[in-house]
Amino acid sequence: MKISVVVTLKKEVLDPQGKVVEQTLKNMGYESVSNVRQGKHFEIDINENDKNKAIKIANEICKNLLTNVVIEDYSINLK
């Protein structure tokens, strides 16, 4: 089963890279752009047919390796 994980900084955590991208886009003429946040995207194949088990494994992977749960949030999507 293919899992997609998106990791982003929590909303209350300052995102300097996102701010730089936002300002650069505005400098390029994209005035309607606002609130850019950067993150990480992972595609993971899990050899599991049970959807609930696959999500449980993905949650464990996120908590143990992919995120710093103090400052980051994550979302898991099945593909």
Side-chain angles (χ1 to χ4, degrees):
M1 186 168 294
K2 187 174 282 294
I3 301 283
S4 173
V5 177
V6 176
V7 179
T8 56
L9 290 170
K10 292 184 177 187
K11 291 184 187 219
E12 58 272 7
V13 176
L14 181 64
D15 184 356
Q17 185 175 357
K19 287 293 181 194
V20 168
V21 171
E22 179 181 333
Q23 188 58 53
T24 301
L25 289 169
K26 287 183 179 187
N27 292 344
M28 293 172 67
Y30 298 102
E31 292 297 324
S32 61
V33 172
S34 65
N35 196 28
V36 176
R37 306 284 291 175
Q38 65 92 25
K40 301 177 273 190
H41 179 250
F42 299 92
E43 294 283 334
I44 304 169
D45 288 324
I46 296 176
N47 190 15
E48 180 60 64
N49 293 325
D50 184 305
K51 175 181 164 180
N52 291 327
K53 286 182 183 178
I55 290 173
K56 182 177 184 234
I57 292 167
N59 270 307
E60 290 173 4
I61 291 169
C62 288
K63 290 177 184 175
N64 292 325
L65 178 66
L66 300 181
T67 67
N68 176 344
V69 294
V70 174
I71 62 168
E72 293 176 315
D73 289 324
Y74 64 90
S75 63
I76 297 170
N77 299 301
L78 298 175
K79 293 255 178 172

